[in-house]
Amino acid sequence: MRPLQAHEVINEVLSGSMDLEDHVLQILERVKEKEDTIRAFIALAPESSIRARVREVREWLREGRRPRLAGLVVAVKDNISTSFLPTTAGSRILEGYVPPFDATVVRRLMEEGAIVIGKTNMDEFAMGSTTELSAYWPTRNPWDLERVPGGSSGGSAAALAYGGADLALGSDTGGSIRLPAAYTATVGLKPTYGLVSRYGLIPYANSLEQIGPMARSVRDLALLLDVISGHDPRDATTLRVPPTSTFIAKPADPRSLRVCAPPELLEASEPPVKAAITKLLGRLESEGAAVIYDRHLTTIDDALAVYYTIALAEAASNLARYDGKLYPFVRIAPTYTGTATETRSRGFGPEVKRRIIMGVTSLSEGYRDELYMAAAKGRRVIRDEVLAMSRNCLIAGSVSPVLPPRLGERITDPLKLYALDIYTVIANLSGVPSLTLPVDFYSDLPIGMQLMGPPLSEAQLISAGLLVESLTGLAGVAAP
Amino acid sequence: MLLRLSRLSFNDDELPELCAKLREIRQLLSRVRKFKDLNVRPLYNVWDQTLEPPDVVEERYVKLSWLGQGSLRSGMVRVPWRGE
């Protein structure tokens, strides 16, 4: 199935050949048809407020305004603050919380005429890789209902994959945009650290996470990136750079493309994953691209340990705020400590609790030097190796070592779950951008590839992505 | 001690499984020990001098004027679930 791509919808809406209300209602129908089984959304906006928003955007068009996302339906991950819909980050501890402000990315969407349809399901506080660790329910993969859509932005990816949104926002701390994109044949970008504002993102690990665009094609992803990127005075970690202009990017000329395919990013993948990516790299070579197979990323073996040590330490610190005083969910006890302990013990799920305890451990006297400080040193070694390679070529490799896992297959063993992130965490540790896009199907299951580049090389990645799409013919594909 | 620092409590029947899983995770994290004595500076933020960070860091704040009247009461932020 190939619904219209977002940029095609915009062209038709702005030219007057499509009524934006018809478009939005068509997507709402699709959501009603699919949500009972897929369960991609935690909260959906009431139809009356969606219709009111459609009227507002239509009025803008009558006034002659040309907003870049006029009438496009956008799904927003539930850890991104919205003043008009609850924001739970997939956790019971934030049940009933409606932020008093919009995240900068949401404000930018609204200013460009987007229709935010709802908040998408996710692993609790983005701590997971399958969306099974949501406190509410697991989301199913629209391509195979017995399998997971990846995580933690699995709700956003699933909604896109079944046609329940034109565009979506996710967040990526260690692969949380790219794994779901790979498992659902959608496109996702973990932007350069600091390119997109995190103001209003419910924090998990501040030094690693980024909000990023998700779509059904590279061109649509570029459209969304241009809207949400650029400096934000409300986020001190954003870079002093203007918004990107990637929507006008052209497919890369293969003869000027250099791709490094380090064996460490491919060799340990399941045979169908490895075969699909190797085949795609071969096609790029036959088109004239230089594909280099003998460059090595020697630090990748340590990346998972370094990543989890840092992420869990930052998580323990960030989640200390949930003490029963600031947010609606509370379990009262006679003392402050009792209330905090009772609230946290009832409000957090088991995986979040495990990560808090390990994070507290790695920051504790006696362990700090051995764990957290050692990991921060390891991060520099990994970052420097990735940067050195990315100066010479785009880095290509697997997103996930396996095909989309079956529901329940990974969540009982934390280490098996963490292993899904083996190829994705290096982009977060290094701050570099990473684009994931579909390259093939195996037994009707999607397979994705990631491309990493140097900091702020989003335009280059999008050009390369457009070239890959022209070879695979998978732009805009959606589940039946 | 760790549970107290984490402000978390568990039932007695939950503890054996919790401890087993924490041991597994700790085994993974312990692999970073190889970097402990390495003569490099820890990297806390990818935007260190190598990447020419933004020279001016803005002060972080939220202005009440950003929130709109519906979110305020007597010039202060309303917390609806704590009553008017």
Side-chain angles (χ1 to χ4, degrees), chain A residues 247-268:
Chain A
F247 184 61
I248 52 171
K250 292 188 165 46
D253 177 353
R255 289 164 302 180
S256 59
L257 189 65
R258 276 172 66 83
V259 178
C260 292
E264 295 82 3
L265 280 182
L266 197 57
E267 289 298 331

Side-chain angles (χ1 to χ4, degrees), chain A residues 96-98 100-101 192-194 199 207 231 233-234 236 238-240 301-302 305-306 308-309 312 324-328 336-337 340-342 344-345 348 353-354 356-358 360-361 364 367 369-381 383 387 391 412-415 418 428-431 455, chain B residues 1-11 14-15 17-63 65-68 71-72 77-82:
Chain A
Y97 171 57
V98 183
F101 66 100
T192 301
Y193 186 80
Y199 178 76
S207 79
H231 178 65
R234 295 175 190 182
T238 50
L239 298 170
R240 294 191 158 270
D301 280 349
D302 303 311
V306 168
Y308 272 99
T309 305
L312 272 46
K325 293 290 175 197
L326 288 171
Y327 299 94
Y336 165 75
T337 306
T341 305
E342 196 61 16
R344 291 161 65 79
S345 300
F348 290 136
K353 290 182 197 170
R354 281 195 290 269
I356 290 173
I357 295 169
M358 279 316 302
V360 168
T361 307
S364 302
Y367 286 106
D369 287 351
E370 283 186 31
L371 294 175
Y372 181 67
M373 298 294 283
K377 287 182 179 181
R379 182 176 188 180
R380 181 177 295 279
V381 175
R383 196 279 308 260
L387 279 186
R391 281 190 203 105
T412 50
D413 181 346
L415 295 191
Y418 300 173
N428 305 80
L429 289 169
S430 313
Chain B
M1 177 62 153
L2 278 175
L3 293 184
R4 212 166 60 236
L5 283 172
S6 308
R7 299 258 196 272
L8 290 170
S9 64
F10 293 84
N11 299 331
E14 293 173 314
L15 284 172
E17 192 191 345
L18 174 74
C19 292
K21 287 190 171 167
L22 288 178
R23 263 195 300 274
E24 281 179 38
I25 299 170
R26 196 160 125 186
Q27 209 169 4
L28 168 72
L29 302 197
S30 297
R31 292 176 60 177
V32 303
R33 285 193 174 126
K34 65 188 278 193
F35 296 110
K36 186 184 163 202
D37 298 321
L38 208 62
N39 189 24
V40 297
R41 281 174 299 122
L43 180 68
Y44 300 113
N45 184 328
V46 287
W47 294 109
D48 69 345
Q49 286 162 346
T50 316
L51 293 176
E52 296 171 6
D55 50 356
V56 182
V57 174
E58 299 262 341
E59 194 185 340
R60 299 189 73 168
Y61 58 85
V62 178
K63 282 186 179 171
S65 59
W66 295 346
L67 300 177
S71 304
L72 300 176
V77 179
R78 272 182 66 222
V79 183
W81 50 89
R82 294 279 177 264

Side-chain angles (χ1 to χ4, degrees), chain A residues 225-433:
Chain A
L225 177 68
D226 291 354
V227 169
I228 62 172
S229 58
H231 178 65
D232 176 14
R234 295 175 190 182
D235 176 0
T237 62
T238 50
L239 298 170
R240 294 191 158 270
V241 292
T244 54
S245 302
T246 55
F247 184 61
I248 52 171
K250 292 188 165 46
D253 177 353
R255 289 164 302 180
S256 59
L257 189 65
R258 276 172 66 83
V259 178
C260 292
E264 295 82 3
L265 280 182
L266 197 57
E267 289 298 331
S269 304
E270 278 185 346
V273 176
K274 190 176 162 187
I277 294 172
T278 306
K279 185 175 136 198
L280 189 274
L281 293 172
R283 289 193 69 185
L284 283 173
E285 261 185 307
S286 65
E287 294 290 321
V291 181
I292 302 140
Y293 294 95
D294 57 359
R295 292 280 176 84
H296 292 270
L297 275 176
T298 55
T299 54
I300 197 160
D301 280 349
D302 303 311
L304 211 54
V306 168
Y307 167 80
Y308 272 99
T309 305
I310 293 170
L312 272 46
E314 293 187 20
S317 170
N318 272 317
L319 271 55
R321 76 190 65 189
Y322 301 103
D323 63 352
K325 293 290 175 197
L326 288 171
Y327 299 94
F329 185 91
V330 61
R331 292 292 178 270
I332 303 284
T335 61
Y336 165 75
T337 306
T339 298
T341 305
E342 196 61 16
T343 300
R344 291 161 65 79
S345 300
R346 304 275 176 179
F348 290 136
E351 177 63 20
V352 173
K353 290 182 197 170
R354 281 195 290 269
R355 292 194 190 201
I356 290 173
I357 295 169
M358 279 316 302
V360 168
T361 307
S362 62
L363 290 172
S364 302
E365 194 64 39
Y367 286 106
R368 198 176 53 219
D369 287 351
E370 283 186 31
L371 294 175
Y372 181 67
M373 298 294 283
K377 287 182 179 181
R379 182 176 188 180
R380 181 177 295 279
V381 175
I382 293 167
R383 196 279 308 260
D384 288 352
E385 187 181 39
V386 172
L387 279 186
M389 185 179 281
S390 72
R391 281 190 203 105
N392 298 311
C393 52
L394 297 182
I395 305 169
S398 302
V399 184
S400 164
V402 295
L403 293 162
R406 291 182 187 283
L407 285 155
E409 189 181 314
R410 292 264 167 176
I411 48 167
T412 50
D413 181 346
L415 295 191
K416 268 188 174 177
L417 187 69
Y418 300 173
L420 293 175
D421 302 337
I422 180 74
Y423 298 133
T424 48
V425 295
I426 57 170
N428 305 80
L429 289 169
S430 313
V432 301

Side-chain angles (χ1 to χ4, degrees), chain A residues 4-11 14 66-74 108-109 112 114 166-169 187 189 212-229 243-249 435 458 462 466:
Chain A
L4 279 182
Q5 292 177 44
H7 68 278
E8 295 167 335
V9 172
I10 277 289
N11 284 341
L14 293 180
R66 314 263 300 169
R68 285 180 287 175
L69 305 179
L72 291 182
V73 174
V74 183
R108 289 179 178 173
L109 291 181
E112 291 294 343
D166 294 308
L167 301 167
L169 289 181
V187 183
L189 175 77
M214 303 174 78
R216 279 191 300 271
S217 70
V218 174
R219 184 71 72 200
D220 287 356
L221 178 131
L223 174 68
L224 184 53
L225 177 68
D226 291 354
V227 169
I228 62 172
S229 58
T244 54
S245 302
T246 55
F247 184 61
I248 52 171
L435 175 74
E458 276 76 2
I462 282 166
L466 290 167

Side-chain angles (χ1 to χ4, degrees), chain A residues 52-130:
Chain A
R53 173 69 177 157
V54 166
R55 284 195 296 276
E56 184 185 11
V57 176
R58 194 190 262 156
E59 191 54 36
W60 293 358
L61 295 175
R62 272 202 206 100
E63 290 165 1
R65 289 172 61 178
R66 314 263 300 169
R68 285 180 287 175
L69 305 179
L72 291 182
V73 174
V74 183
V76 175
K77 187 175 179 180
D78 201 34
N79 59 352
I80 300 173
S81 297
T82 45
S83 61
F84 48 92
L85 282 170
T87 299
T88 70
S91 180
R92 291 280 174 212
I93 212 162
L94 279 172
E95 213 167 34
Y97 171 57
V98 183
F101 66 100
D102 287 324
T104 295
V105 289
V106 171
R107 185 172 50 78
R108 289 179 178 173
L109 291 181
M110 301 301 275
E111 286 169 358
E112 291 294 343
I115 315 282
V116 174
I117 187 179
K119 305 298 289 290
T120 54
N121 198 16
M122 55 182 285
D123 294 295
E124 187 175 3
F125 285 105
M127 296 180 186
S129 309
T130 63

